[in-house]
Amino acid sequence: MDEGGLLGGKFLFKKLPDGLLDKTRVRCTICKAEFKYHRSSSSLPHHLRAKHPTESTSTGPRQSTLQEYGARGRITKNVREKLTNSLVVWIAKNCRPVSIVEDDGLREVIRAASGDECYNLPSRGTIVSRLHTLYGDQRAQQSNHWTSVNNDNYLGVMAHFIDNDWTMQLFALTVSKTEERHYAEACADHILSVANEWEIKDKVTTLGTDSARNMVAAARLLPFEHMPCMAHILQRTVTVSLNDSAFERALAKCRKIVGHFKHSPANAQELKAQQAAHGHQTEPLVQDVPTRWNSTLEMIKRIQRNKSGLTTILTQPNSKVTMLTDQELDRLQKLEELLEPCRYVTELLGGERYVSCSMVLPALCHLFRIMEDSSNLTWLKIATALDPRFKDLKCLSKDERREVWASVHDLLMAETDAHQPSAQTTEEPSPKKSKMSISLLSSPDSDTEEEEDAIDCCLNLYKAEPKIDIGECPLQWWLKGEGAHARLAPIARKYLSTPATTVPCERLFSLSGHIIQKKRASLSSDNVNRIVCLSNRSGPWLLSHTFAAGADLQKCS
């Protein structure tokens, strides 16, 4: 063809009946006129100008200038800046190593997506600097110890509160490396320093920790109400109860069976074949670990689901492991029925985006004696009373119900006294009154009696409200009812914001450990702190996963 492809495709060679092209004649694709063609297209533009003037201005592709070619596909400065900020948020949100910006593969992906073959990723220094800036900005807007695989001590602290829209909020305040050992005094000092650093010491109401002795002792040294983790208490109860129990022998056999298949790829493959043969889902067996909650239950459930395949394998003459007897399987079935409610309660109380403190007593009513020596029952009872799902307090005796409402009454009275104007005043003294007028006007008990009546009326109004369904959100109820129960609402916000467990902190440390263990992510402890805290922030600027805390600071908004 001629240069430009017969003037940009507006003319085509004539097609012969046998399918071949006659390269001595061309046809106009617009009017179908035919022309002789002698390897020169000089006459074709004349036809376009004469017959098709609107088409004659576009006679083929124009060669790009050197400047146009160099600018083609290049990322602008604004887009480059936006891309760098997006990389920073991605690294913070997904806890990626900072060194990922040195990855040639990532650079090539961005080049292919943007069309800019000259694009280079920002340096590590730029990313670290932006991370520090992002962390500082978010901190301006906005415990428990853990040991890493490198034997470094870390302190994790989160804040929980209910905002003015009655939405549960939680933020990671720190995951900081500590040099001291986990003595009670050191733990208390660290927790207090975090509260002072964030300027929330006067707003903190409760401190949630696990039940370790050093953390319990540290809580006694601090001026906050202590809330032991109910999940830790429940799981510790399960672990202690199973030791030297009638189930111990059957559980020991379960562990041997699991180990037989976990430590041998050939045995694991044999189990998969049996699962397929019996129409079961392919799944590995689970080994129970004392520190892994509900792992004993999961070990039992998987052995029960795969007992037919396990029996086929372990009853072979060359098997070195003995299969559970029918009697032992029956015993484990009963244990499964006992442990399943514990699993449900642990997961129910371990939530972080809904009210959990008020559910403790209703959910664990049958374990009341176990809880009695460990948990902060007074706080739990008041929280339960202020939850419109459980305010009838059916989980308590009648005498206990009266005590709870008396405690709420005292809290309302204390709130009233706290907001009373100070006796000392700088105003001009009022004119002296006669002794007679003072004796007539003064009534020392009248104000107190009126206040008592007002508080009783406030409580009776709340108790007369119908209960809501257990599946409804108590915070939404308070959002709508705050105006009708204005005096009670601040106390409800304070008590309902307390989490029942420190499960969020376990997740926070799991994330921190994941970062530290990455060989390619040689992050300093400061960068671990910033990345974890940034990844835990919630809000429109960063769609983040949420994690939780072992040393939880609950503050009133």
Side-chain angles (χ1 to χ4, degrees), residues 532-550:
V532 172
C533 290
L534 284 170
S535 71
N536 184 251
R537 294 285 187 268
S538 61
W541 69 278
L542 178 60
L543 298 175
S544 66
H545 298 290
T546 54
F547 304 91

Side-chain angles (χ1 to χ4, degrees), residues 47 117 174 238 334 337 398 403 412-413 492 527:
H47 172 74
E117 295 298 324
T174 186
V238 171
K334 294 177 181 177
E337 294 171 1
K398 290 184 178 180
E403 292 175 2
L412 285 169
M413 182 62 75
N527 284 338

Side-chain angles (χ1 to χ4, degrees), residues 29-80:
T29 59
I30 302 172
C31 65
K32 308 306 180 184
E34 289 190 11
F35 304 90
K36 290 183 179 181
Y37 179 71
H38 301 289
R39 297 185 180 180
S40 174
S41 60
S42 59
S43 62
L44 301 182
H46 295 292
H47 172 74
L48 290 176
R49 285 194 293 270
K51 300 297 184 181
H52 315 292
T54 58
E55 300 290 337
S56 63
T57 56
S58 178
T59 60
R62 179 177 62 86
Q63 184 175 4
S64 301
T65 65
L66 186 61
Q67 291 79 6
E68 290 172 334
Y69 182 80
R72 184 185 300 167
R74 296 296 296 273
I75 295 177
T76 64
K77 183 178 179 180
N78 290 338
V79 173
R80 183 180 293 272

Side-chain angles (χ1 to χ4, degrees), residues 515-545:
I515 298 171
I516 294 170
Q517 289 180 49
K518 288 183 178 179
K519 294 182 179 179
R520 68 177 186 272
S522 53
L523 297 175
S524 67
S525 58
D526 287 341
N527 284 338
V528 170
N529 178 36
R530 289 185 175 93
I531 288 179
V532 172
C533 290
L534 284 170
S535 71
N536 184 251
R537 294 285 187 268
S538 61
W541 69 278
L542 178 60
L543 298 175
S544 66
H545 298 290

Side-chain angles (χ1 to χ4, degrees), residues 289-307:
V289 180
T291 56
R292 187 176 300 157
W293 297 347
N294 302 314
S295 59
T296 300
L297 172 62
E298 190 60 28
M299 178 180 70
I300 295 171
K301 291 171 74 171
R302 296 208 183 189
I303 286 180
Q304 292 280 18
R305 285 200 296 263
N306 293 280
K307 61 184 177 182

Side-chain angles (χ1 to χ4, degrees), residues 160-162 166-169 205-206 227 351-359 379-390 462 473-479 488-500 554-556:
H160 300 246
F161 63 96
I162 298 172
W166 288 90
T167 301
M168 184 70 75
Q169 301 285 358
T205 58
T206 56
M227 182 61 63
E352 55 192 39
R353 288 297 178 184
Y354 53 82
V355 175
S356 58
C357 186
S358 57
M359 293 192 290
W379 192 281
L380 294 177
K381 290 176 180 178
I382 294 174
T384 306
L386 296 176
D387 189 322
R389 297 171 297 177
F390 311 117
Y462 171 70
C473 177
L475 300 184
Q476 288 298 309
W477 187 93
W478 275 105
L479 175 62
L488 204 54
I491 300 175
R493 180 180 280 112
K494 172 181 174 180
Y495 277 79
L496 294 180
S497 66
T498 303
Q554 286 74 52
K555 70 186 187 71
C556 295

Side-chain angles (χ1 to χ4, degrees), residues 2 75 158 262 347 352 395:
D2 64 296
I75 295 177
M158 293 190 71
K262 287 188 74 70
E347 294 180 358
E352 55 192 39
C395 56

